[in-house]
Amino acid sequence: MATDILKKLILKQKRDGIYLTVPSSLKGRVKFEEVRRAILKRGVVNANFEIIKEVFEKAEGVPVRIGDYFEKFNKAKNRYIEVRISEDELTAFLSVRFPRDEDGIEITFFDINFKILEAGITVPIDEEVIEQILKEKKNVVNIPIAHGKLPIPGEDAKLVYKIDTNISRRPLILEDGRVDYHRINLIKCVEKDQHLVERIPATPGKPGYNVFGKTLKATPGKDIPLPRGLNTYVSKDKNNLYAKIGGHIFLGHNLLNVENVYVVRGDVDFSTGDIEYSGDVVVIRDVKTGFKVETTGNVRISGNVDGATVISREGEITVWGGIFGKHKAKLIAKKRIQAGFVQDAFLQTDGDVEITKYILNSTIHTKGRILIPKGHIIGGRLVSGGEIVARTIGSPSSLRTEVQIGSRLDSKSLLQLLVISRELEVLKKRGESLRNRLQFLTMLKQRQIKLTKEKQKQYEKCFEQYQQVLARCQELERQKSELVGDDTDMVLDTPKIEVKHLVFPGVVITMNQYEQEIKARHNRVLFRLAENGIRCEKIF
């Protein structure tokens, strides 16, 4: 095979040197490595493979001088020269034992280079080391003379946040060391089209190679997706994240989101007037007495609410400070209301009311729960459509405190509601039966030209009774609406009030139509609705 390749290439010795002809028909059909091996098998020690490769790749079909002459390797020199490859194939070692003068053998650079090429090494060799060995003519063992290169792993992708996403509840520390408890950095706001995150892409790494020239693949870095959440968009290069709208940012499920928000960067007072907005509202400080914040979205207040009005028609209200009602404050929300404390205020919501510290002399109406598991309820009137959980209810001074589960109605109105509800239930069943009978008679009427007198009389009587039932249901629904409005779902089958520590005398508990005034202290108790009234159970 080697001889055939060399014949195809046409090697000729002329007076001025060796000439190589590579026919154009061989271009792309024969690999250079096959040519190199063929020449080495001929024992040529002084072949200039760089020139030979250049001629081979051009394949122009004309003779090109590639050297002065071919010198063949003396096989007797094999025992003097050894080339060893490391196990990882990244280093080639040379060992040379110089013959005695009387042996009549001389080791040349071409001999060593031939053995290196014969071993299949294609990377550059350290010629200076070889020349130094030949110059000193001292035996050497395992001297590194060629090196491969380890691949360099790629770097993982990185996310560089262009905005601060850390939300801290700590108060602001001023330059003079004072602490401003009115300014807590809870909200992070961005503008429309603001740059949020840059992704530095993962790199593929750099491949390496062994001493045989074989490529060693690099391990690419791991990619990481942009944290694209609500109201954000990605740039064309897929490596940058921007805000689609102005608003405040928040992290949810490791995604960066932007909420539509109107930000008041100070107090709501004479400098702002009343705030009316169709989205979310964030107040960085307080809502002052006499002013109003009204929105369809959520309201988040970093400071306090004084004697002000805050209304969220479709969302929730969060007050990180507390509510100093001054008997003027009104907070009305469709969903949840959260606050640190409530004092002398009115709260109304369809969702839960969650308070951290205390509720003092306030009125709260909710279709949800009232939750203050670590705080106190003292004075006022609380009405819940779900349950009430508190640490203590009432006070040692027996201040009257009303807590009610179920309907907001008084006992008389609640009884009227129950009578109406029961009659409606009976009438609706009766109406369903009459409607089914009418459908059957109507079907007969459609199939026959004329009903019998008996069937016709049944039809007329059934129709009249059905109209009477509908009219009565409408009247009862009207009475029900006048009585309770849309609060009928406040009547509960299993209302409960849980007191984790103490309930004091002076507390009045109402569950649906039943009312009970506490006459003595109770510790860790649960109030439930029983068949004939309110039952008090010990919590263990």
Side-chain angles (χ1 to χ4, degrees), residues 16-144:
D16 59 341
I18 299 289
Y19 283 81
L20 172 65
T21 302
V22 180
S24 57
S25 60
L26 294 181
K27 192 171 185 178
R29 295 176 60 190
V30 179
K31 294 181 179 180
F32 174 72
E33 180 63 20
E34 296 177 13
V35 176
R36 189 181 74 86
R37 290 177 182 174
I39 293 175
L40 289 174
K41 285 183 179 180
R42 292 275 293 271
V44 177
V45 298
N46 65 337
N48 190 331
F49 285 108
E50 290 183 5
I51 295 177
I52 294 173
K53 184 177 182 181
E54 182 180 348
V55 175
F56 175 78
E57 289 178 347
K58 288 182 178 180
E60 294 176 338
V62 296
V64 179
R65 187 176 182 277
I66 60 172
D68 295 330
Y69 63 95
F70 277 169
E71 178 182 338
K72 289 191 176 183
F73 180 72
N74 183 355
K75 293 183 180 181
K77 297 180 181 181
N78 279 331
R79 61 193 179 118
Y80 299 104
I81 304 170
E82 180 186 5
V83 177
R84 184 178 68 82
I85 310 300
S86 62
E87 289 185 7
D88 60 9
E89 299 182 344
L90 289 174
T91 308
F93 300 95
L94 174 66
S95 297
V96 178
R97 183 171 61 85
F98 286 92
R100 296 173 299 179
D101 292 339
E102 57 267 27
D103 292 339
I105 296 176
E106 182 181 1
I107 304 300
T108 67
F109 181 88
F110 289 132
D111 296 327
I112 295 174
N113 189 54
F114 172 80
K115 293 295 291 182
I116 291 171
L117 293 175
E118 185 184 50
I121 297 169
T122 59
V123 297
I125 60 175
D126 194 338
E127 295 182 358
E128 291 184 1
V129 170
I130 296 173
E131 289 173 355
Q132 186 68 26
I133 291 171
L134 292 171
K135 181 178 179 182
E136 294 178 358
K137 291 191 176 181
K138 293 181 179 180
N139 296 344
V140 295
V141 177
N142 290 335
I143 299 298

Side-chain angles (χ1 to χ4, degrees), residues 360-361 377-379 393-401 502-507 517-519 521:
L360 177 62
N361 294 327
I377 299 173
I378 305 171
I393 301 179
S395 68
S397 62
S398 300
L399 179 65
R400 183 177 177 85
T401 305
L502 284 173
V503 56
F504 293 93
V507 174
E517 184 173 352
I518 305 301
K519 300 296 184 181
R521 288 191 183 189

